[in-house]
Amino acid sequence: MYDIITFGSATKDIFIKTKKFRVLKDKKNFATGKGVCFNLGSKVDIDEILFASGGGGTNTAATFAKQGFRTAYCGAVGQDLAGQEIIEELKNLNINTQLVVKSERKPTNHSIVISGINDDRTILVYRGASEELKKENIPWLKLKTKWFYISPLSGELCKVFGDLIDFAVKNKIKVALNPGNCQLSLPPKLLRKNLGKIDVLILNQEEASLLTGISYKKEKEIFKKIDEICSGIVIMTKGEKGVVLSDGEYLYRALPPKMKAADRTGAGDSFGAGFVSGFLRSRGDIIVATQIGIANSTACLKKLGAKQGLLKKNEKFYKVEVKKEKCSKNGLCQCRVCG
Ligand SMILES: Nc1ncnc2c1ncn2[C@@H]1O[C@H](COP(=O)(O)OP(=O)(O)OP(=O)(O)O)[C@@H](O)[C@H]1O
Ligand SMILES: [Mg+2]
C-alpha cells in the first residue's frame, strides 16, 4: 500500500542559463508582447546547463518521497535513454517505478528551459510518450494507495481523468488535483461532476479564471463559484503574491518571503505537493499545510530545476504567517473576499 501515487507527465528537462538572453518587445508577433532573441547564425555561449527530470507527475512524486511518504509515480516514458534516465532518477529518489509504462509510440517528453539573469524563462516543449498513456495501459490492480495526486494530464492521458477519479471514489482513495488546460476545457457538466469528488483542488490564477470564466482579479466571485462546485479545499496560487485558499468555511491567505528566484520551474508542483504533504502529516491542518507548501516552493525556486531544492522531511524551514478569516457560503460573510 502506497501513501500516494502521482499522475501526470515525466519529462527530461534541459536547463540553459545565458546572459545572452535578450528580450525584444514586439506586440505584433508575440502573444505575450515580448520575444526571446539570439543572434541569427552565430554560436551563443551558455553560462549554466543542467539535465534533470521534470514534469508534474515526477516533480510532485519527488516532494512526497523527500517528505518520507511511500510514493509511486504512474505515467509513461519512451523506450529510450531519456526514459531510462528518468526511471533511474526516480529510483534514486526512493519513488517506486513499478507503475511506469514504457511507450513504444513516441520518445520521452522533453523540455528545454531557456532563462537569462532574472527569472524570465521560455520553455520549448516536446509532448511525447507521457501524453500517450491510455486507460488500458494503466496497471489498475496495482493502484493501492491512500491518496492520488493528479497533475495536468494532456493528450490521450486527459481521457483517463474521469476514470482515475471514479476509481478513487470506488476504492476510497482521496484525490488532490492540479488540472491543466486540457482537463479544464472538458465539457462543463463532466468537469463539474469530477470536481465535485476532489479533496484538494489546486489552481493558479489563470486556471481559476479559465474554470470559472471570471477574471482572476475578482477573487470574491471566483471562490464563491468554485466552492459551489468543489466541496474539498480549493487553492488559488498567485505566484510571488502567494496563495489564497478556502475550506468552504474559512479563507486562508499567505505571502511567500521576498526572494530572488534562480528558476521558476516547478513552483506550482512544489507548492501543491508541499501543501498535500503538510496536510497528510498534520492530519488536515490547513495552516501547517500552507506553511510547508510555501516553504517547499521557496526552496525549489532558489535552485535551477524542479526537484533540486525540495525540502526533506524534518528539514527546518521558515514558517510564514497564515491569515485565517471566516467565510461562509450563505452570503452573510463579511470577510475581505466575500465582503
Ligand atoms: N517569484 C516568487 N517568489 C516567491 N514565491 C513564489 C514566486 N513564484 C511562485 N512562488 C510560490 O509558488 C507558488 C506557486 O506559484 P504559481 O502561482 O506561479 O504556480 P503555477 O503558475 O502553477 O506555476 P507553474 O508554472 O510551476 O505551474 C506560489 O503560491 C508561491 O508560494
Ligand atoms: Mg501550475
Side-chain angles (χ1 to χ4, degrees):
M1 173 73 108
Y2 302 109
D3 292 315
I4 192 150
I5 299 176
T6 67
F7 299 86
S9 60
T11 69
K12 188 80 188 167
D13 287 350
I14 304 163
F15 292 86
I16 292 169
K17 222 171 163 69
T18 170
K19 290 189 205 81
K20 300 278 161 61
F21 183 102
R22 292 279 176 273
V23 177
L24 182 80
K25 287 190 179 159
D26 180 346
K27 285 194 178 149
K28 204 169 132 213
N29 291 302
F30 301 105
T32 58
K34 288 180 195 166
V36 177
C37 288
F38 296 109
N39 278 326
L40 182 67
S42 53
K43 285 185 180 160
V44 178
D45 285 335
I46 289 167
D47 303 306
E48 244 180 285
I49 188 160
L50 171 79
F51 294 79
S53 71
T58 72
N59 291 344
T60 51
T63 284
F64 293 119
K66 288 196 176 187
Q67 286 293 323
F69 295 105
R70 282 162 297 173
T71 309
Y73 163 63
C74 179
V77 295
Q79 289 196 350
D80 47 23
L81 188 60
Q84 199 47 46
E85 284 173 357
I86 290 174
I87 292 176
E88 289 309 316
E89 192 178 337
L90 295 181
K91 282 184 184 161
N92 289 337
L93 285 164
N94 212 11
I95 298 164
N96 193 297
T97 57
Q98 242 197 71
L99 312 174
V100 178
V101 175
K102 283 188 181 172
S103 164
E104 288 172 6
R105 293 156 63 94
K106 282 192 181 171
T108 297
N109 287 31
H110 276 77
S111 291
I112 301 166
V113 185
I114 309 169
S115 58
I117 38 179
N118 51 27
D119 65 353
D120 275 342
R121 77 228 212 288
T122 293
I123 310 182
L124 311 179
V125 181
Y126 171 69
R127 298 184 200 281
S130 282
E131 275 72 7
E132 291 292 303
L133 191 68
K134 293 193 174 131
K135 187 178 173 182
E136 59 267 27
N137 306 128
I138 293 183
W140 296 98
L141 294 176
K142 292 186 186 165
L143 303 185
K144 295 194 187 310
T145 183
K146 296 177 191 159
W147 277 77
F148 276 173
Y149 188 106
I150 306 177
S151 295
L153 311 174
S154 53
E156 288 291 329
L157 191 54
C158 186
K159 298 181 191 154
V160 178
F161 175 49
D163 297 304
L164 283 176
I165 292 175
D166 289 345
F167 181 89
V169 171
K170 208 168 143 203
N171 292 282
K172 298 193 169 50
I173 297 167
K174 299 215 181 269
V175 183
L177 171 71
N178 173 212
N181 286 359
C182 192
Q183 287 137 291
L184 292 170
S185 308
L186 286 169
K189 225 174 155 183
L190 183 64
L191 187 59
R192 269 175 172 265
K193 184 179 143 236
N194 287 322
L195 294 185
K197 299 169 187 164
I198 300 300
D199 298 281
V200 180
L201 177 64
I202 303 142
L203 304 158
N204 67 17
Q205 288 177 306
E206 292 77 27
E207 290 153 357
S209 186
L210 180 63
L211 172 62
T212 55
I214 300 169
S215 158
Y216 68 82
K217 289 180 187 147
K218 298 184 177 169
E219 281 181 10
K220 166 185 163 183
E221 290 174 37
I222 285 203
F223 272 91
K224 245 179 202 164
K225 193 153 178 184
I226 307 181
D227 273 344
E228 278 165 23
I229 307 170
C230 177
S231 59
I233 294 163
V234 179
I235 303 172
M236 181 166 79
T237 63
K238 308 196 295 181
E240 64 185 350
K241 299 211 171 83
V243 62
V244 52
L245 58 128
S246 158
D247 61 4
E249 197 180 346
Y250 290 94
L251 273 167
Y252 303 78
R253 290 169 184 281
L255 269 176
K258 279 222 174 329
M259 63 169 297
K260 185 163 166 32
D263 164 46
R264 271 194 34 78
T265 318
D269 296 333
S270 53
F271 176 84
F275 180 93
V276 174
S277 295
F279 193 74
L280 294 183
R281 166 110 356 97
S282 65
R283 296 179 191 272
D285 186 324
I286 291 178
I287 292 181
V288 171
T290 306
Q291 287 170 330
I292 297 186
I294 293 214
N296 198 42
S297 55
T298 305
C300 173
L301 290 176
K302 283 186 183 157
K303 295 260 170 82
L304 202 56
K307 295 186 179 72
Q308 298 295 310
L310 301 173
L311 287 184
K312 294 192 192 82
K313 186 181 176 185
N314 300 331
E315 189 175 332
K316 287 213 165 24
F317 61 87
Y318 174 73
K319 292 180 182 151
V320 294
E321 186 191 355
V322 181
K323 290 191 174 138
K324 179 176 173 183
E325 49 196 64
K326 185 87 180 152
C327 172
S328 71
K329 290 180 195 165
N330 60 13
L332 299 173
C333 183
Q334 295 297 309
C335 77
R336 263 182 293 152
V337 173
C338 296

